Amino acid sequence: MVEFDRKAFIGKFQEEASEYLQRLNEGVITLEGDPGNRELIEQMLRDAHTLKGSSRMVGLIEISDVAHRLEDIMVKVRDGEFVYAPDMSDFFFEALDMIVYLTDNAGVELPEPLDIASLTARLAALAEHGDAKAAAAAGAAEAPAPADAAAGPAAPQTPPAPEPAKTEQAAAVAGDAQAQVAEPPSASGRPQKEERLEAREQTTIRVQAAQLDTLLNLTSEVVISQIKSEQRAQDLRALQAEVGELRQLWTRVRAGLGVSSAADDTAEGLFEDVDALEGALTELRKRVAFLGKEFADDVSRASTVVADLQEHGMRLRMLPVSTIFDRFPRAMRDLAKQYNKEVDFVIEGADTELDKKVLEEINDPLIHIMRNAVDHGIESPDIREKAGKPRAGTIRLAARQEGDHIVVEISDDGAGIDPEAVRQAALRKGYITESEARNMSDREARYLIFESGFSTAQIITEISGRGVGMDVVRRFVVDKLKGSMDIESELGQGTMFRLRIPLTLAIIRALILRIGEHMFAMPTGSIEETLRVSADDILKVEGREVVRRQRRNIPIVRLGDVLGLTHADLDGAKRPVAIVGFSGHRMGFLVDSFVGEQQIVIKTLGTHLSKVENVAGVTILGAGEVVVILNVPELMSNARSLSGAHATQQAKEQRQGPRKILICEDSFTTRELERSIFEAAGYDVEVAMDGAMGLKRLREGLAPDAVVTDVQMPNMTGFELTKAIKTDARLKEIPVVIVTSLERDEEKAIGIEVGADAYITKSVFNQDTLLETVERLIR
């Protein structure tokens, strides 16, 4: 007998389980506000039951045990033995997170054992008594005692924290529910979520994504062939015009021959030849005209079919944005708890459809924006109350389709973005010059938050001020998805982020332009306007060339200079300029000519050429030319550097030789640990055993790129050292990173007061955090 291999079905289980787990997460959120929803209770009971049975079938007994306990609870709720209470949600979320972790790691040996017994004991107690406090006590009693009895009862062991992108989606947190989800009814008057749940129950066919990708790649090849056919139709029309011109030329030549019908045999023969040639030319013109019309009609009909094929092919990969939006109520609940905020969360337009590949990519940007909205946008309940606002802030996530783009808006009614605070932070950290700060509009200033590593925080800590988040939004939305972003914000009233994302990544409209003998494609979504300028239209402002548009100076560069190409000599004629907008900045690119605008199919360069600068991909035009598609964000960044906007930054980055670090630490172990971390990363390291010795070395001429210091040291503390550095005109530009065991907020406040650039506590210390922080400060 051949033994049944359950492992072969684990992948199938993982795929199936994700849907049930998502529904259960959504159900818990809904039950908190509607504990008597019997239909939802029945659905959750069925989902837990299916998870229990499916996991047991493939040998995942631990998942089955946890799901079984959830099923027991739902049975008691359904039968009215007790009413679902909000404080039960934390048990459900902990159980669901455990199942997610066990599902993701099915068939993989875990690095350390999980205390599932404690969890199932608490769930069993909850099912028995319907009392969350009694259930928590049961779990503590079940937990094994630690080796050191003096340490007290061991805390229940939970799965390791998931990756950052998943943390906000499924983090297990305790406490009352603070984030609620509201959703307007659909056109039928019924809740959208109810209709989506019904739609999920329809019979469907599962097709592997790879097969759809192959189909769509073939469709794109058909589109390219169609573009070529349209080019051939144009060639035929040109040929038809040439034949017409040839016949007219012949008519004039014949009139000049003066051939008559005289009896002369030669003349008579020539006359017959002339008539025959004219007849042939007439017939040729008619046939070319007929073929041209027929071919144009064929191309037109084929174009309609290809367009339908393309549209329906793309729709095969289209999914409602609810596929990811439905995860966010749980995330917002967790974030509200984490930041001690009260949040009402509203979803609109969840049935809007988007390409699956695009949908997968926008998850992280949305999470980062919403986390910022909770952390920095929504004020604390007390502050909101004093300002005359409701204690609970509102965050709205909405989607709608506009033409060939999806518009996603994330808005809040919080504090808004202070453009002056952003300017000052950017100036302080070297992102802009004083001149740029003076001339920068409020709109441009707000876009600085998308710069890599930018933060308005006064100091870097392990959880804030690291400038990680909003640059991820820009990288995904603009660089990767070829979309665009806009920000609207009013102090005290709130902020809206508006993302415009193409329905598909495969086909876009582009402006074809020429530099010398080379053609390039620039996505029209990035182009604000096109114009022609003469040499007199180009002005010099602060050493940079600009053109004046709508009372604003727009920097202008020659595209060939950025790409390393030579422009054609146009003998003083006006040159075409494409004005491009990105992240609040505008820039004009001079080219030799505009060839035209058309739809193009994007082809990637493959992994071996994925890092080619200024290139987003290639396309094939109708005549068969392979044309490079320009990467507009990279293009603008390189152009700004070229025009001198970041000359100081470039000089820093081009510095030769290893960086130097001064470590001030009285503990030998800590000092040597930090030394080894920096030396392994290629730094030259100098050490001092206390703050006084470190300050002495600095005043004697040591010029490190950064100082890393402890606080509690003999002779001079780290706070005193930092203050001495920051009040010394020769030393104040040196970044100071405090690494200490002092964790209280008032101690961090002292670090800010004395001028530290970063404050890292030893309880969460790791070498990646330290190196990354120092690198960012040095840059």
Side-chain angles (χ1 to χ4, degrees):
M1 179 182 293
V2 178
E3 185 179 352
F4 176 64
D5 184 10
R6 289 184 172 87
K7 292 182 180 178
F9 291 85
I10 286 179
K12 296 282 187 185
F13 169 76
Q14 290 171 324
E15 182 179 343
E16 178 189 37
S18 63
E19 182 176 344
Y20 295 122
L21 289 165
Q22 181 61 42
R23 276 213 300 259
L24 284 166
N25 268 286
E26 295 170 14
V28 176
I29 292 290
T30 305
L31 270 187
E32 288 183 332
D34 186 11
N37 190 329
R38 186 166 184 82
E39 183 180 350
L40 177 58
I41 291 168
E42 292 282 1
Q43 177 66 58
M44 293 176 67
L45 177 56
R46 288 195 299 271
D47 288 344
H49 179 78
T50 302
L51 271 176
K52 179 187 73 173
S54 299
S55 57
R56 185 163 290 274
M57 283 294 293
V58 295
L60 302 175
I61 305 303
E62 292 174 326
I63 293 177
S64 180
D65 288 345
V66 177
H68 187 180
R69 300 307 177 191
L70 291 179
E71 182 186 10
D72 290 343
I73 297 169
M74 296 313 300
V75 167
K76 296 289 184 71
V77 173
R78 181 197 62 186
D79 295 344
E81 295 191 25
F82 52 77
V83 177
Y84 187 93
D87 58 4
M88 296 179 182
S89 297
D90 299 319
F91 291 89
F92 267 77
F93 285 139
E94 184 180 354
L96 292 173
D97 288 340
M98 179 67 80
I99 294 176
V100 168
Y101 181 75
L102 292 171
T103 300
D104 289 346
N105 292 279
V108 177
E109 185 176 349
L110 298 177
E112 54 186 33
L114 300 174
D115 188 4
I116 297 175
S118 172
L119 174 60
T120 54
R122 281 179 285 138
L123 294 174
L126 184 60
E128 182 178 353
H129 305 292
D131 186 330
K133 291 182 178 178
E142 182 70 21
D148 182 2
Q157 195 169 2
T158 56
E163 296 175 1
K166 298 180 181 177
T167 302
E168 289 80 11
Q169 298 171 27
V173 294
D176 294 334
Q178 291 180 295
Q180 303 294 327
V181 60
E183 195 176 63
S186 65
S188 66
R190 300 167 59 206
Q192 292 181 10
K193 185 172 291 186
E194 182 179 320
E195 291 192 348
R196 293 200 301 275
L197 288 174
E198 268 189 25
R200 288 175 180 171
E201 298 298 327
Q202 297 176 1
T203 303
T204 58
I205 299 175
R206 291 186 183 273
V207 180
Q208 291 184 350
Q211 292 177 318
L212 283 180
D213 291 343
T214 300
L215 174 62
L216 294 176
N217 285 336
L218 292 173
T219 302
S220 69
E221 294 298 331
V222 175
V223 172
I224 291 174
S225 297
Q226 176 63 24
I227 293 172
K228 290 182 177 180
S229 296
E230 291 172 354
Q231 181 64 47
R232 300 297 175 265
Q234 291 180 8
D235 294 342
L236 260 179
R237 286 193 290 271
L239 179 60
Q240 181 182 347
E242 290 176 9
V243 171
E245 292 174 0
L246 180 61
R247 186 178 183 282
Q248 291 175 6
L249 176 61
W250 164 246
T251 301
R252 292 195 297 272
V253 170
R254 179 187 178 184
L257 288 175
V259 178
S260 65
S261 56
D264 185 290
D265 291 341
T266 302
E268 185 176 353
L270 181 58
F271 180 76
E272 292 175 356
D273 291 342
V274 167
D275 282 347
L277 180 56
E278 182 169 355
L281 284 173
T282 300
E283 184 63 25
L284 176 62
R285 183 175 62 85
K286 289 179 180 178
R287 289 194 62 189
V288 170
F290 175 78
L291 285 174
K293 181 180 181 305
E294 288 294 305
F295 187 69
D297 290 344
D298 290 344
V299 169
S300 179
R301 284 192 293 270
S303 179
T304 302
V305 174
V306 169
D308 287 344
L309 173 64
Q310 177 186 329
E311 179 183 352
H312 288 287
M314 298 308 299
R315 294 198 73 81
L316 288 175
R317 208 165 61 183
M318 301 287 273
L319 292 172
V321 293
S322 61
T323 306
I324 63 167
F325 279 18
D326 286 349
R327 306 172 186 173
F328 294 147
R330 165 75 191 278
M332 297 305 290
R333 175 192 186 276
D334 296 350
L335 286 168
K337 169 63 180 175
Q338 179 182 350
Y339 292 111
N340 297 316
K341 305 288 179 70
E342 294 180 13
V343 176
D344 290 332
F345 184 50
V346 180
I347 292 178
E348 298 175 1
D351 291 327
T352 306
E353 292 190 332
L354 193 57
D355 187 311
K356 177 179 181 292
K357 285 188 175 294
V358 180
L359 202 58
E360 291 168 349
E361 297 291 354
I362 67 170
N363 181 73
D364 282 0
L366 293 181
I367 282 291
H368 284 297
I369 292 175
M370 288 190 292
R371 182 170 63 182
N372 259 32
V374 178
D375 185 10
H376 302 296
I378 300 297
E379 311 93 331
S380 67
D382 292 343
I383 291 177
R384 290 181 62 86
E385 210 166 42
K386 290 177 182 177
K389 295 182 176 182
R391 286 181 63 84
T394 299
I395 295 178
R396 184 177 67 96
L397 173 62
R400 65 180 182 274
Q401 183 173 345
E402 290 185 359
D404 59 354
H405 281 71
I406 291 292
V407 177
V408 179
E409 294 177 344
I410 308 98
S411 60
D412 66 70
D413 63 349
I417 299 173
D418 184 351
E420 184 56 33
V422 174
R423 280 192 198 91
Q424 293 305 314
L427 187 60
R428 185 170 64 249
K429 298 180 180 182
Y431 285 89
I432 56 175
T433 65
E434 291 188 5
S435 173
E436 287 174 321
R438 286 194 303 271
N439 296 318
M440 185 173 284
S441 67
D442 286 352
R443 180 173 182 269
E444 290 173 327
R446 292 189 190 103
Y447 277 89
L448 287 170
I449 67 174
F450 293 110
E451 293 289 339
S452 178
F454 181 82
S455 172
T456 56
Q458 294 175 283
I459 191 170
I460 298 174
T461 70
E462 59 271 11
I463 60 172
S464 67
R466 307 181 64 77
V468 177
M470 299 311 289
D471 63 320
V472 172
V473 176
R474 183 195 65 184
R475 187 165 65 250
F476 274 86
V477 174
V478 179
D479 298 9
K480 199 165 188 178
L481 299 180
K482 308 301 182 289
S484 62
M485 301 180 300
D486 195 14
I487 309 173
E488 296 176 9
S489 186
E490 186 175 345
L491 275 177
Q493 301 301 312
T495 300
M496 174 185 287
F497 290 88
R498 183 178 293 111
L499 316 181
R500 283 182 55 84
I501 303 164
L503 284 172
T504 173
L505 299 181
I507 299 172
I508 61 170
R509 293 203 66 81
L511 175 65
I512 310 300
L513 44 87
R514 186 184 295 277
I515 300 173
E517 299 299 319
H518 304 278
M519 286 198 297
F520 299 91
M522 181 177 284
T524 55
S526 303
I527 301 174
E528 296 188 356
E529 63 174 321
T530 58
L531 61 149
R532 293 181 179 276
V533 298
S534 66
D536 294 337
D537 298 322
I538 301 175
L539 310 174
K540 282 274 190 178
V541 176
E542 295 183 353
R544 288 184 292 172
E545 292 184 325
V546 302
V547 291
R548 192 80 176 161
R549 297 293 293 174
Q550 300 170 345
R551 295 181 296 179
R552 297 294 305 278
N553 290 332
I554 299 176
I556 191 167
V557 297
R558 288 160 182 77
L559 182 57
D561 293 345
V562 183
L563 300 178
L565 300 174
T566 302
H567 281 268
D569 185 3
L570 300 185
D571 296 326
K574 287 191 172 184
R575 284 187 179 272
V577 176
I579 304 294
V580 174
F582 169 66
S583 290
H585 300 286
R586 301 177 77 200
M587 182 166 289
F589 289 97
L590 277 165
V591 300
D592 291 346
S593 64
F594 294 142
V595 179
E597 182 190 3
Q598 69 177 70
Q599 181 175 269
I600 63 171
V601 176
I602 300 174
K603 295 289 187 181
T604 62
L605 295 176
T607 55
H608 57 297
L609 293 176
S610 60
K611 300 298 183 184
V612 177
E613 200 169 43
N614 301 316
V615 175
V618 295
T619 191
I620 302 173
L621 300 186
E625 308 100 318
V626 176
V627 172
V628 167
I629 303 170
L630 296 172
N631 184 324
V632 172
E634 272 192 3
L635 208 61
M636 290 190 70
S637 176
N638 291 332
R640 289 172 69 190
S641 298
L642 189 69
S643 63
H646 292 312
T648 303
Q649 186 72 8
Q650 275 190 310
K652 290 180 180 178
E653 292 176 354
Q654 290 172 358
R655 165 180 169 166
Q656 301 297 316
R659 304 287 187 178
K660 182 173 290 186
I661 297 292
L662 172 62
I663 296 174
C664 300
E665 170 65 66
D666 63 320
S667 165
F668 174 79
T669 302
T670 303
R671 187 169 66 242
E672 291 307 304
L673 172 64
E674 291 175 348
R675 181 210 289 269
S676 64
I677 289 173
F678 283 109
E679 287 182 344
Y683 287 82
D684 279 347
V685 179
E686 298 283 339
V687 297
M689 288 179 284
D690 57 43
M693 182 180 295
L695 183 61
K696 182 173 181 293
R697 298 287 306 279
L698 291 171
R699 287 177 172 169
E700 287 175 348
L702 180 65
D705 292 280
V707 172
V708 176
T709 180
D710 187 16
V711 171
Q712 296 172 313
M713 297 181 291
N715 301 320
M716 175 180 276
T717 69
F719 288 150
E720 293 169 339
L721 171 63
T722 303
K723 184 175 182 179
I725 292 173
K726 294 302 181 180
T727 54
D728 188 316
R730 295 182 300 106
L731 305 176
K732 65 180 182 180
E733 297 300 325
I734 300 174
V736 178
V737 179
I738 291 177
V739 181
T740 178
S741 57
L742 303 180
E743 299 184 354
R744 293 183 300 161
D745 289 342
E746 52 267 37
E747 291 162 342
K748 292 181 181 179
I750 297 174
I752 294 174
E753 183 181 343
V754 297
D757 298 275
Y759 195 104
I760 299 174
T761 57
K762 292 180 180 178
S763 62
V764 296
F765 173 85
N766 68 69
Q767 68 178 48
D768 291 337
T769 300
L770 179 60
L771 288 172
E772 181 186 323
T773 299
V774 170
E775 275 295 324
R776 180 176 292 113
L777 291 172
I778 290 176
R779 285 200 305 268

